[in-house]
Amino acid sequence: MSTASEEDADDASVIRRSRQEPEAFALVFRRYAPDIKRYVIRRLGADAAEDVVAETFLAAFRQRDRYDLSRPNARPWLYGIATNLMGRHVRTEVRQLRVLERMGTDPVMEPFTERSDERISAGASGRALASALAALPRGHRDALLLVAWGDLSYAEAAQALDVRVGTVRSRINRARQKLRRHLGATDPVIYVSEEPVHE
Amino acid sequence: MNEMTELERFRSDVPELDLTDVRAEEHRLLSVMRDAAPDAGRPTGQRVPGRPRRAMRLRIGLAAGLGVAAAAAGAIAVNAGGEPASPPVVHTMPVASVQVLKRAADNAAKSPELHPRPGQFLVFDSRTMDTVESNSGGRHERYLDRQERKIWLPVDGDATHGVLQSRTLEPKPYPGWPIPAVARQNVGRSSMSKAADFDDRAEHLRSDYAYLSRLPTDPAKMYEHLYTGLGTGPGADATAWQNVGGMLTEAYMPRAQRAALFRAAAAIHGVTTVGRAVDAAGRTGVAVTLDPAGSGVREEYIFDEKTYEFLGRRSVVTNAGQAEAPVGSVLTNSAQLKVSIAERPPAVE
């Protein structure tokens, strides 16, 4: 039942239509789900990704009435919801980064590499990056990775995280400094950055 | 090579995906969408008039969440719009073993009961201590932030309509770290804000009164609820235990559900009583906990020794190497001081 004009419509018009015709929302899913899933896998691994992605689109679908129709592109909105849901998996994310840092093998990459010695080839820079990412405060890691892996602009990352652009800029600057320091250091310092969230 | 290039290469071997890689997720979305569609594609006679939509969506969500395991087992989990078939991952509640939680369940019947109405707000007064990590001026800093909180949460619906008033108290040092100047910046100051900008919790993790009061009062069914979407094993048990905390912290439910929750929690594998513990307000109680392997920190829920009322929670270091703090250090702590009802929250601009 999809037509050429439907495929061309911007996200906001698709979402507007889905308020009357819920099944129209499937197009939003088709446009973004593969990218978002890859992003979530890169951060949390394949195991957690399925739930996070399914819940992201369920949450988006339920909130479609509140979508700001002046924003033609739904990408920041969806990455924002996914980021928020990934917050429940901070411990998993940090734990896997720590494993990579300490053992040199990346649990996230395990399903994608055939031989275990390929995983080890992460090498010193991979371990240093893992160490730096694990040590970042969550908000800094979110901003940095939305830009680096999610391909969002600073303004889009600000929309996704519901913070000001200046906040995104300063978080990313600090995060980059930390990455540089860890990449420069031979002996990465170990931090714990898991913050139990009190809601 | 600069750090952004390194970062772009990091885990870039995760392959690009297409729609065939997100079939399970699409299936879950479609079953919810189908339910939302005005009778489209629905066999006639399936819609039960007067049944709340939300409950309907929830049941379908649960069944759909288990869709993948069902397919693997060769069973059909969802018949859209109707009753879900029995889930393939069956969580049968084992015999409960934790006396403190059983007594808490027995005592739930005796405590005075609040009866909030739709449209009203539940107000929770609490004191909290949480770990904070910060980077300022290139220095990595860590401390324990203490707050006095008062939160107004709608009786029905998500936290974005709630209001949070908080006052910063004198911070405490993270074990082995000096208190940074930034930690004291807001001491004594109060702030009033929206309780949340987002509330994207999955349906089964909702903790508003309206939702909690619809949960089963049968402990075995409550046990299943705690394991919604979870498999089996230590990881599932740890998450189920976290789910218990989510239903106790700044949340209130009718006593029948509360009693069922305590009995169900007592049956979670690995839960034990750890003895006396002090909450964030200095009240001593008895703590129950589950110590998940690998984190070095255990999450305790504290109950009054006489009334078995829930007092608060705390996290305690069990492995100095993993937590980077001495064993026995308390890293987070909270005390739930009062629960009351209000017609509306204070205005926030």
Side-chain angles (χ1 to χ4, degrees):
Chain A
M1 72 178 213
S2 61
T3 62
S5 66
E6 179 184 274
E7 296 296 334
D8 290 342
D10 67 20
D11 299 335
S13 7
V14 174
I15 291 167
R16 186 197 297 116
R17 198 154 57 79
S18 76
R19 291 174 183 174
Q20 305 306 321
E21 303 164 40
E23 65 278 10
F25 201 81
L27 184 56
V28 178
F29 179 90
R30 292 202 296 273
R31 283 178 180 172
Y32 295 107
D35 275 2
I36 290 180
K37 185 163 188 182
R38 180 169 188 260
Y39 176 72
V40 178
I41 290 175
R42 259 176 114 174
R43 289 191 62 171
L44 300 179
D47 285 350
E50 186 176 309
D51 269 347
V52 170
V53 173
E55 284 169 16
T56 296
F57 284 91
L58 290 177
F61 178 69
R62 292 190 182 115
Q63 294 171 30
R64 68 194 187 282
D65 288 343
R66 286 187 267 149
Y67 182 79
D68 178 355
L69 294 172
S70 68
R71 291 173 176 171
N73 180 354
R75 192 180 171 88
W77 179 58
L78 295 167
Y79 274 82
I81 295 172
T83 299
N84 210 259
L85 289 168
M86 278 190 283
R88 292 209 302 268
H89 301 270
V90 173
R91 282 166 186 275
T92 306
E93 180 173 37
V94 172
R95 195 187 326 116
Q96 295 181 130
L97 289 166
R98 293 296 181 205
V99 169
L100 170 55
E101 176 197 346
R102 288 177 185 150
M103 324 292 280
T105 55
D106 189 348
V108 165
M109 295 310 296
E110 197 160 349
F112 307 108
T113 38
E114 279 166 19
R115 302 198 328 262
S116 63
D117 54 339
E118 286 173 12
R119 295 203 300 277
I120 297 172
S121 70
S125 69
R127 295 172 72 160
L129 271 177
S131 161
L133 287 174
L136 288 176
R138 192 181 133 202
H140 294 209
R141 189 165 56 233
D142 287 341
L144 178 70
L145 295 181
L146 281 173
V147 170
W149 293 353
D151 293 327
L152 298 192
S153 67
Y154 280 28
E156 288 172 332
Q159 271 180 35
L161 298 171
D162 201 17
V163 297
R164 291 193 309 271
V165 180
T167 307
V168 168
R169 193 172 295 120
S170 78
R171 283 182 186 177
I172 290 179
N173 285 343
R174 286 184 192 173
R176 291 185 63 173
Q177 280 169 20
K178 175 161 258 164
L179 259 51
R180 274 200 294 277
R181 273 207 310 281
H182 278 247
L183 286 167
T186 47
D187 183 22
V189 185
I190 297 164
Y191 297 112
V192 173
S193 71
E194 294 171 59
E195 294 174 28
V197 178
H198 182 101
E199 286 179 310
Chain B
M1 193 181 301
N2 88 6
E3 72 282 356
M4 288 307 264
T5 321
E6 291 275 5
L7 184 60
E8 273 156 33
R9 284 177 39 178
F10 187 67
R11 292 179 177 165
S12 61
D13 287 342
V14 172
E16 298 287 342
L17 306 180
D18 59 36
L19 285 171
T20 57
D21 299 306
V22 289
R23 283 229 181 92
E25 293 88 340
E26 188 170 27
H27 177 74
R28 282 167 68 174
L29 177 67
L30 292 178
S31 31
V32 170
M33 275 173 24
R34 219 172 283 140
D35 181 55
D39 292 324
R42 186 194 300 274
T44 51
Q46 289 277 6
R47 164 95 39 99
V48 181
R51 176 179 287 182
R53 282 196 88 72
R54 208 185 280 287
M56 194 89 158
R57 275 215 297 267
L58 174 65
R59 285 186 295 109
I60 289 173
L62 289 178
L66 295 159
V68 175
I76 302 299
V78 186
N79 40 0
E83 294 290 330
S86 42
V89 179
V90 179
H91 286 285
T92 309
M93 189 171 96
V95 178
S97 58
V98 183
Q99 282 300 329
V100 174
L101 288 165
K102 285 201 273 186
R103 292 209 192 100
D106 294 340
N107 278 268
K110 295 176 196 160
S111 56
E113 173 99 333
L114 296 175
H115 296 281
R117 293 190 311 275
Q120 290 183 318
F121 286 73
L122 278 159
V123 190
F124 302 89
D125 286 83
S126 60
R127 194 169 289 184
T128 60
M129 180 175 81
D130 290 291
T131 58
V132 172
E133 301 261 331
S134 72
N135 287 286
S136 57
R139 280 207 321 279
H140 191 77
E141 293 163 333
R142 232 183 236 193
Y143 63 97
L144 303 179
D145 178 61
R146 294 170 65 242
Q147 303 269 340
E148 220 170 56
R149 284 165 68 92
K150 186 171 183 133
I151 193 165
W152 286 257
L153 290 171
V155 162
D156 190 352
D158 69 44
T160 56
H161 297 103
V163 168
L164 171 66
Q165 182 183 39
S166 61
R167 193 166 70 89
T168 306
L169 305 174
E170 187 66 21
K172 285 191 172 169
Y174 190 99
W177 293 62
I179 296 181
V182 64
R184 292 210 165 82
Q185 256 169 21
N186 293 316
V187 170
R189 266 189 227 159
S190 293
S191 70
M192 184 90 85
S193 62
K194 269 179 77 175
D197 289 321
F198 285 106
D199 188 351
D200 298 331
R201 278 177 290 189
E203 185 80 9
H204 69 273
L205 296 173
R206 280 176 54 181
S207 60
D208 54 305
Y209 180 83
Y211 179 76
L212 294 178
S213 60
R214 285 198 296 268
L215 290 178
T217 54
D218 168 25
K221 295 230 167 57
M222 184 64 90
Y223 183 86
E224 281 175 34
H225 173 75
L226 292 174
Y227 281 86
T228 302
L230 301 175
T232 51
D237 297 333
T239 306
W241 183 245
Q242 290 292 331
N243 292 347
V244 172
M247 292 161 74
L248 291 173
T249 309
E250 292 182 343
Y252 185 83
M253 65 185 92
R255 56 165 73 112
Q257 276 81 4
R258 213 177 324 143
L261 174 65
F262 291 144
R263 287 187 214 286
I268 293 175
H269 183 74
V271 173
T272 54
T273 305
V274 289
R276 291 158 80 91
V278 180
D279 76 7
R283 301 177 297 184
T284 300
V286 54
V288 285
T289 191
L290 188 147
D291 190 358
S295 76
V297 175
R298 68 167 184 242
E299 186 77 14
E300 301 180 346
Y301 305 140
I302 308 169
F303 293 85
D304 185 280
E305 279 175 294
K306 290 202 182 63
T307 64
Y308 294 95
E309 189 191 343
F310 174 67
L311 296 180
R313 56 197 288 180
R314 62 178 200 169
S315 56
V316 180
V317 175
T318 54
N319 181 316
Q322 285 164 342
E324 293 171 49
V327 170
S329 319
V330 176
L331 297 185
T332 71
N333 202 347
S334 78
Q336 204 141 288
L337 300 171
K338 189 177 153 204
V339 185
S340 52
I341 296 174
E343 289 305 318
R344 64 186 64 82
V348 185
E349 85 280 5

